[in-house]
Amino acid sequence: MAKRIDARTLYDRLEGSEETALIDVREQAPYAASHPILAANIPLSRLELLASERIPRRSTPIVVEDAGEGIAEVAAAKLEAFGYTDVSILDGGTPAWSAAGLELFSGMHVPSKAFGEFVEHVYGTPSVSAEELKGIMDSGRKLVVLDSRPMDEYRVMNIPTGVDVPGAELVYRVGEVAPEPDTLVVVNCAGRTRSIIGAQSLINAGIPNEVVALRNGTMGWHLAGYKLEHGNDRTAPEPAGEALAAARARSAAAAARFGVRTVDAATLDSWRAEADSRTLAILDVRTIEEFEAGRIADSRHAPGGQLVQATDLYLPVRNARVVLVDDKRVRADMTGSWLAQLGW
């Protein structure tokens, strides 16, 4: 039978160095309305489908929460039936968390979105409004608009002239779409976070171009009264030659700056041997096409830009070991530089 844990004890555990997975088992809407910032959402209705992939180690300490309506108990029993051996229930649910003087947050992927705001504040990431971008376009200045979202989002709507270059691909491919240093590089997403992280990635990597984020992304462009394009599939080509060499050098410098480490195959094998005592997440941060063409057998696909945007989705186990895979190194280096700043 699952144990119970009070809010303060859970808070202290989450602040420590031991592995813990705090799982909110409500459906997405009530979860998004109010939850602790480090709670990952795995709804009870999808628990059987998602638990094994997201929490692979059966001895991982798991804490299950709801809003006190009783589904946490049902979820805890299911997890134990699946073979998980260390399952607890947050006593009193999210109301007890709040009553203990601890903060509740609204929204999805809150840690990553809060981090985006932090990045913009600390780095002073430059940005332009939709109106300013339209003025630059009309002026004839040399520029490229790079959309940092996945292709499925880009196809729905994009800024005119925009090219799809998902987050982790930006440093990798920018040399092919903006080879001349006097080209202004504008990074957008649907709203804020991925444009901020994307623009700052290019700045951290030291590309010679002026780089800005588009404030409020496609949403801001639409609200300003400008037309969006629909159904496009423009992509930046893969780099080669000098462009690839430059991308590798820049990403390696960024990774070194933020303390990203590398491991060899022998070390990874030794970590696999410890998988019963320490969670190991092997995440392939390349494109889905590259992943499907050939991958490490026990890896999962987690495109780098989306991984930074939704760490709770891909890494619900706090303090797990994380290994990023990319045969070109650039995307793994840049993704690792952000995960390191996020505390991984």
Side-chain angles (χ1 to χ4, degrees):
M1 179 177 292
K3 302 164 286 188
R4 291 191 175 269
I5 184 170
D6 65 80
R8 278 289 170 185
T9 302
L10 174 58
Y11 175 84
D12 291 341
R13 183 192 291 186
L14 291 169
E15 289 293 301
S17 59
E18 298 301 313
E19 286 189 22
T20 301
L22 172 57
I23 305 301
D24 192 308
V25 293
R26 296 174 293 167
E27 293 301 316
Q28 187 176 101
Y31 163 80
S34 181
H35 60 271
I37 192 170
L38 295 180
N41 185 218
I42 304 181
L44 176 62
S45 62
R46 304 188 67 199
L47 195 63
E48 189 170 5
L49 294 173
L50 299 177
S52 181
E53 177 185 89
R54 297 188 185 177
I55 311 175
R57 181 167 71 89
R58 290 300 191 269
S59 55
T60 302
I62 301 173
V63 179
V64 181
E65 71 170 28
D66 58 12
E69 63 269 60
I71 60 172
E73 286 79 3
V74 177
K78 282 183 173 291
L79 288 169
E80 290 180 329
F82 299 160
Y84 291 96
T85 60
D86 189 352
V87 182
S88 302
I89 297 168
L90 175 59
D91 200 12
T94 54
W97 183 272
S98 179
L102 301 170
E103 191 168 1
L104 295 171
F105 293 80
S106 62
M108 296 296 295
H109 313 312
V110 176
S112 296
K113 290 179 179 178
F115 180 64
E117 299 302 310
F118 172 81
V119 166
E120 183 181 45
H121 174 74
V122 170
Y123 285 104
T125 308
S127 62
V128 295
S129 67
E131 292 83 357
E132 289 169 328
L133 176 57
K134 185 63 165 61
I136 295 169
M137 288 177 166
D138 292 342
S139 75
R141 181 178 177 184
K142 190 187 303 182
L143 83 157
V144 292
V145 177
L146 305 183
D147 194 312
S148 62
R149 300 170 299 159
M151 177 57 77
D152 59 342
E153 291 186 51
Y154 170 82
R155 284 196 182 103
V156 174
M157 57 183 178
N158 70 275
I159 305 296
T161 75
V163 177
D164 188 53
V165 191
E169 303 289 316
L170 284 161
V171 173
Y172 181 55
R173 298 174 189 258
V174 68
E176 293 291 342
V177 289
E180 298 172 337
D182 60 343
T183 300
L184 173 67
V185 177
V186 181
V187 181
N188 80 272
C189 63
R192 288 179 55 80
T193 305
R194 288 172 289 184
S195 62
I196 294 168
I197 297 297
Q200 194 60 52
S201 290
L202 293 170
I203 295 168
N204 286 355
I207 73 166
N209 308 67
E210 180 184 356
V211 180
V212 297
L214 175 61
R215 291 198 294 274
N216 302 317
T218 54
M219 177 178 63
W221 185 266
H222 174 70
L223 292 175
Y226 304 129
K227 289 185 178 180
L228 291 160
E229 295 179 340
H230 306 277
N232 288 313
D233 59 1
R234 294 188 293 263
T235 59
E238 288 200 43
E242 292 183 4
L244 177 57
R248 282 176 160 161
R250 288 166 180 157
S251 67
R257 174 183 173 187
F258 296 106
V260 179
R261 296 174 293 169
T262 60
V263 297
D264 56 21
T267 301
L268 183 55
D269 280 341
S270 72
W271 287 355
R272 286 189 177 103
E274 299 171 0
D276 289 338
S277 59
R278 183 81 188 274
T279 299
L280 174 63
I282 304 174
L283 303 178
D284 192 315
V285 296
R286 301 173 300 163
T287 65
I288 186 63
E289 292 80 11
E290 292 171 281
F291 178 75
E292 290 179 344
R295 59 186 182 270
I296 294 175
D298 53 348
S299 65
R300 289 188 288 136
H301 185 234
Q306 293 302 100
L307 174 54
V308 176
Q309 161 76 4
T311 52
D312 56 322
L313 182 66
Y314 294 98
L315 295 170
V317 181
R318 297 285 299 168
N319 299 313
R321 279 177 172 147
V322 182
V323 177
L324 306 177
V325 178
D326 172 16
D327 58 340
K328 305 297 194 305
R329 278 288 300 274
V330 179
R331 294 157 291 189
D333 278 343
M334 294 310 301
T335 302
S337 75
W338 288 118
L339 290 183
Q341 292 176 79
L342 274 160
W344 287 93

